[in-house]
Amino acid sequence: GAVIMNRVNSPLFPNSVKEVLFEKSYGYYQFTPAETGAIHTAEPNAQNYEAAERALNGEDPTNGALFFYNPDKAQSAYLESRTVSTTIGNHVFTF
């Protein structure tokens, strides 16, 4: 959620949550749930709603990250070249 809000607030990305979620770059969706369609069938629980609300209210454990990836599942020279802001669990967050 924080990465999405950081993108909304960045001049480098679209200006709305929906546009950020469904943005394609070089023909690829930026977020897997938009690409697979899972975003349309997801059933959020109370924890999901709380996390979304916290991101909307400005909480940002990523320190301003604009990108994230799981290096065990995705390799990207572009993402790996970015400055790391933090690691949370299996995900690396970058600027």
Side-chain angles (χ1 to χ4, degrees):
V3 168
I4 291 166
M5 295 310 300
N6 292 339
R7 286 185 175 202
V8 168
N9 294 318
S10 168
L12 303 174
F13 296 94
N15 297 327
S16 75
V17 170
K18 182 178 180 179
E19 290 174 319
V20 166
L21 284 171
F22 290 98
E23 180 184 20
K24 284 186 179 180
S25 182
Y26 300 102
Y28 296 98
Y29 283 98
Q30 298 298 291
F31 295 95
T32 302
E35 179 180 16
T36 64
I39 196 167
H40 299 294
T41 59
E43 295 184 23
N45 61 30
Q47 184 179 12
N48 303 138
Y49 281 112
E50 179 185 350
E53 188 171 315
R54 290 167 73 171
L56 286 168
N57 287 327
E59 187 172 320
D60 183 5
T62 74
N63 301 311
L66 296 172
F67 307 94
F68 71 95
Y69 66 102
N70 180 337
D72 293 334
K73 295 184 178 186
Q75 283 71 46
S76 165
Y78 176 76
L79 290 173
E80 292 169 7
S81 74
R82 311 295 297 183
T83 301
V84 173
S85 64
T86 193
T87 301
I88 301 172
N90 295 329
H91 292 87
V92 176
F93 293 82
T94 68
F95 301 110

